[in-house]
Amino acid sequence: MNKLGLGVVGVGAIGVLHAENVAQRTPNAELVALSDVNIEAANNVATRWGVKHVYSDYREMLEDRSVEGLVISVPTFLKRDMIIEAARKGKHIFVEKPMALSLEEADDIINATRGLKLQVGYQRRFDNAFVRLEKSIAQGDIGRMLLVRSWTRDPPGNPQGWSTDPKLSGGIWLDTCSHDFDAIRFLTKASVTRVYAVGANLVYEQLRPHGDFDNVLATLELDNGALAQVDSCGYTVYGYDAGIEILGTKGAAIARMGVNSAAEILKKGQSNQDLPQTFQERFGQAYRDEIADFVSCVLEDREPRVTGKDGKEAIRIGLAASQSAKERAPVYL
Ligand SMILES: NC(=O)c1ccc[n+]([C@@H]2O[C@H](COP(=O)([O-])OP(=O)(O)OC[C@H]3O[C@@H](n4cnc5c(N)ncnc54)[C@H](O)[C@@H]3O)[C@@H](O)[C@H]2O)c1
């Protein structure tokens, strides 16, 4: 079998998972190299999966001819330059979301990767429940769309370093809510025309000096007439909770953690359901399938399911939400 040689850049929280998926669960790919400025972290992952080449400087990895594609999971402020350099060396790119910090950076990335495959890590598009919803909506099961609600709620943590500064991460609107903005575009096939957003800092004091929020709400108007609402909370004691509901004239399409009674109290470790505690648990299947599909796209010369344009549109909505929350006024797109 023709195997695609992949290198992973950045083996932090999500990069470790991508490395494992490439090494263990993507039959038509081989994990040939790893790069991380934290060389110890890279060496640990390399030992686990028997990876031959480890680089502290990703530029050296770009010279490695066995690396045909990269999985980029570094802090967002580093992605643009890294992708442009990698594209110059002819490497295909899978980049974690958000793919950039601004629309200009997104354009630079899209332009640099023309003729190569570029896929953005919005894994909800590969989650079995979301894929099922897309099919059901496309065949008209819910009729005309009326209301949409999408949410991403992270368990309590202790944000540190780059992730506390929106200039480096994109802040909650790009780093977290862009998942929701992309899921809404994916399932409704509509564009966002207006955003009104509010944010609060209620928990993590370290975000305050940088002006980031840990709890947010955004109201979106879509060009198919439907109204959408996005919320995110960075301190969700009962676990990791991400889902979407789309109400239409004939029915509703819902992907959530699994709710089997009308009224529920969810507390830490106490629930009548088996709730995921981390994003790795909730979206394990989707993370596996998105990498497998990226590899197939390169080998079969297919367009990825999450394109650079998709990556850019999620950023566009996120920036509008950020501006709206700052100015306390609606923003038109
Ligand atoms: N799709 C998802 O659900 C999901 C989940 C988590 C994170 N992410 C995204 O993945 C990206 C990384 O997030 P994370 O939580 O894994 O961050 P992290 O801080 O845990 O890991 C980042 C890694 O990159 C390394 N790094 C930094 N500079 C580097 C460089 N110049 N060259 C090579 N390696 C370098 C760091 O040493 C670290 O190991 C972010 O864009 C984040 O938004 C996506």
Side-chain angles (χ1 to χ4, degrees), residues 9-16 18 35-39 41 55-58 72-79 82 96-99 121-124 160 162-163 169 174-176 179 240 279-280 283 287 290:
V9 194
V11 288
I14 193 76
V16 171
H18 288 318
S35 168
D36 198 302
V37 285
N38 178 350
I39 195 70
Y55 304 96
S56 58
D57 184 343
Y58 72 93
I72 296 184
S73 33
V74 296
T76 299
F77 70 99
L78 299 168
K79 290 171 184 167
M82 203 175 267
E96 259 308 335
K97 53 42 66 175
M99 78 177 187
Y122 287 116
Q123 81 281 353
R124 288 181 201 186
Q160 293 296 323
W162 68 274
S163 68
S169 69
L174 295 191
D175 199 43
T176 304
H179 274 300
Y240 175 78
F279 60 82
Q280 291 94 331
F283 286 115
Y287 291 124
E290 68 176 349

Side-chain angles (χ1 to χ4, degrees), residues 85-159:
E85 283 179 70
R88 273 196 204 119
K89 301 285 176 184
K91 315 290 184 194
H92 300 285
I93 305 290
F94 176 98
V95 59
E96 259 308 335
K97 53 42 66 175
M99 78 177 187
L101 293 170
S102 67
L103 297 178
E104 292 73 24
E105 283 192 3
D107 279 333
D108 291 345
I109 290 171
I110 290 170
N111 290 331
T113 53
R114 284 192 203 289
L116 297 162
K117 301 300 176 202
L118 169 67
Q119 183 172 325
V120 186
Y122 287 116
Q123 81 281 353
R124 288 181 201 186
R125 292 188 185 223
F126 293 84
D127 177 72
N128 287 336
F130 281 69
V131 169
R132 168 88 177 73
L133 258 47
E134 191 204 19
K135 281 208 185 95
S136 171
I137 291 167
Q139 67 199 31
D141 290 350
I142 66 164
R144 187 163 57 86
M145 285 177 206
L146 304 171
L147 284 181
V148 181
R149 196 164 74 87
S150 176
W151 63 95
T152 304
R153 300 175 191 159
D154 283 304
N158 184 19

Side-chain angles (χ1 to χ4, degrees), residues 240-259:
Y240 175 78
D241 186 356
I244 195 162
E245 297 173 348
I246 303 179
L247 310 187
T249 50
K250 288 198 221 157
I254 302 170
R256 54 187 171 203
M257 295 198 309
V259 173

Side-chain angles (χ1 to χ4, degrees), residues 307-325:
T307 63
K309 179 169 185 295
D310 294 320
K312 181 179 167 185
E313 290 310 308
I315 292 171
R316 190 196 303 282
I317 305 166
L319 292 174
S322 174
Q323 187 187 338
S324 172

